[in-house]
Amino acid sequence: MSEFRFSTFLKALLLFAAVLGGFDYLSKFDKLKTELAELKTQAETARENAELCRQDWTEIKTAKDKLDQVEARMAEIIRQRDLLDAKERKLSGEIKYLADSMTVAVEKTRLSAIGTVIPELRLPGRPALLNAKIFKINEDSISFLHEDGVANLHLNSDELPMEFAQKYDLGPKSIHKGLQGLMNGLSAPAASK
Amino acid sequence: MKPPLFFCCLVLCLAGTSCERQEDLKREIAALDASFKKDEAAARQYEKDIAALGGKESLKRIVEQTQSKEAQLRPLEFVNAPRERKLSAIEADFAKLKPAAEAFKAAQPK
């Protein structure tokens, strides 16, 4: 078997190939390093840009969320106000109807009582009135004509028995006055706490 | 070992090492490229989201709207609660007076 021998030509060729390969490697390596440096700059710029966009978005989103919250709160308050309006209208209608009908009933009752004669009207702490005839009924008093003259009995000073207060709806606790008070209360502005 | 053979081995070794170094660089470039693309995509997405919210110019408008609505809201917030209390109190009083009034009316001769 013959021994392989490098000829001078082959040696030169090998050396040439090695030098060429070395150059190629260095050239490619430099190219890659340049590419890496450029990419690093671009990546840094892109990262900063993304961060700026994120900050802008966060700022706008926060402001928008706050606006949405305020709008939602406003919608809720307006909804509550509408409910209160409806409640007030309903209550006002009911109270007005009852107050009007009550006023008519009270006036009718008081009118029909004029001329009524009570044979013996017992009074707290004073002599009874005989043949006491009702001739006038006010909001807190009743005037009687009786055998001994005229008596104007007031509910406030406990001269008039309580049964009259209930029967003719007299005094500070009268129902129709209470209903009128509620009507006035409805039209008055609400006091804030 | 004969010198030419040693030379061949040396060349092969050098070639192998240089290939490895190039691979490292390529990997680093690929990682950076991925990060770059990710950041670019994120920026694009943020820009889309900002546009959906009305654009960068909308911030001033949104803040002004919020302030205006808050100013409208403040007095309203203090109206409903006392009004609710007042209506509830009137409702309760009415509930007490109503049966008495009905009874009074019913007791009257027709």
Side-chain angles (χ1 to χ4, degrees):
Chain A
M1 203 173 171
S2 65
E3 193 181 331
F4 179 77
R5 284 169 156 267
F6 280 100
S7 68
T8 313
F9 174 72
L10 268 176
K11 283 177 188 167
L13 193 66
L14 198 61
L15 188 65
F16 178 70
V19 169
L20 206 65
F23 271 123
D24 183 51
Y25 161 73
L26 284 176
S27 155
K28 277 184 183 168
F29 197 74
D30 278 350
K31 205 174 154 190
L32 281 175
K33 275 170 89 174
T34 313
E35 195 181 333
L36 182 66
E38 275 175 14
L39 203 55
K40 267 184 183 171
T41 315
Q42 284 177 352
E44 184 62 25
T45 310
R47 198 188 61 74
E48 282 171 8
N49 186 35
E51 180 58 25
L52 281 175
C53 285
R54 192 190 65 78
Q55 284 174 5
D56 285 347
W57 176 79
T58 308
E59 204 175 350
I60 297 172
K61 184 81 172 70
T62 309
K64 187 79 172 64
D65 287 349
K66 193 178 174 190
L67 177 63
D68 289 347
Q69 281 175 5
V70 171
E71 280 178 343
R73 225 163 71 216
M74 191 151 198
E76 175 59 19
I77 284 176
I78 288 172
R79 191 187 67 80
Q80 285 177 0
R81 190 193 62 189
D82 291 347
L83 283 175
L84 287 174
D85 282 347
K87 187 177 176 181
E88 184 171 335
R89 275 196 300 275
K90 183 173 174 280
L91 200 57
S92 174
E94 285 181 18
I95 294 174
K96 190 175 182 322
Y97 170 76
L98 197 62
D100 289 349
S101 61
M102 187 66 192
T103 303
V104 170
V106 167
E107 280 173 7
K108 202 174 153 188
T109 310
R110 289 179 186 174
L111 271 175
S112 66
I114 303 293
T116 306
V117 178
I118 302 161
E120 187 181 4
L121 177 59
R122 293 175 188 278
L123 299 171
R126 56 185 285 179
L129 305 180
L130 298 175
N131 291 322
K133 184 181 174 184
I134 298 172
F135 76 92
K136 192 177 177 187
I137 301 177
N138 288 323
E139 283 302 317
D140 59 352
S141 67
I142 301 179
S143 302
F144 294 93
L145 276 174
H146 58 95
E147 285 186 357
D148 297 327
V150 177
N152 188 28
L153 303 179
H154 284 265
L155 191 74
N156 297 348
S157 49
D158 293 336
E159 295 166 332
L160 198 64
M162 282 308 290
E163 63 189 75
F164 286 93
Q166 285 171 358
K167 194 170 179 184
Y168 302 115
D169 197 34
L170 305 176
K173 288 182 182 174
S174 80
I175 300 163
H176 79 281
K177 265 190 183 173
L179 290 169
Q180 285 300 332
L182 293 185
M183 284 296 293
N184 295 339
L186 273 179
S187 52
S192 56
K193 214 174 189 179
Chain B
M1 191 182 281
K2 290 184 175 180
L5 195 58
F6 172 74
F7 180 73
C8 279
C9 290
L10 185 69
V11 165
L12 283 173
C13 269
L14 279 173
T17 314
S18 59
C19 278
E20 202 174 315
R21 284 184 69 189
Q22 272 193 1
E23 282 306 312
D24 285 348
L25 264 182
K26 279 179 184 170
R27 268 197 296 276
E28 201 176 338
I29 285 171
L32 259 181
D33 193 46
S35 157
F36 168 69
K37 281 179 181 161
K38 192 179 150 197
D39 284 338
E40 268 200 337
R44 271 198 303 275
Q45 186 58 47
Y46 279 127
E47 273 167 10
K48 267 188 198 171
D49 292 346
I50 288 170
L53 289 172
K56 284 181 187 173
E57 305 77 29
S58 66
L59 181 62
K60 195 182 166 196
R61 181 179 49 80
I62 291 172
V63 170
E64 281 172 359
Q65 270 186 341
T66 308
Q67 286 169 348
S68 155
K69 298 243 172 186
E70 276 181 332
Q72 289 173 26
L73 192 64
R74 233 166 275 130
L76 284 176
E77 278 181 323
F78 297 102
V79 168
N80 283 349
R83 200 170 159 214
E84 168 78 49
R85 283 196 296 275
K86 186 188 93 170
L87 284 180
S88 296
I90 289 175
E91 201 173 27
D93 288 346
F94 181 60
K96 284 181 207 160
L97 284 174
K98 193 177 175 182
E102 298 289 358
F104 182 89
K105 287 197 295 180
Q108 302 314 306
K110 299 286 174 190

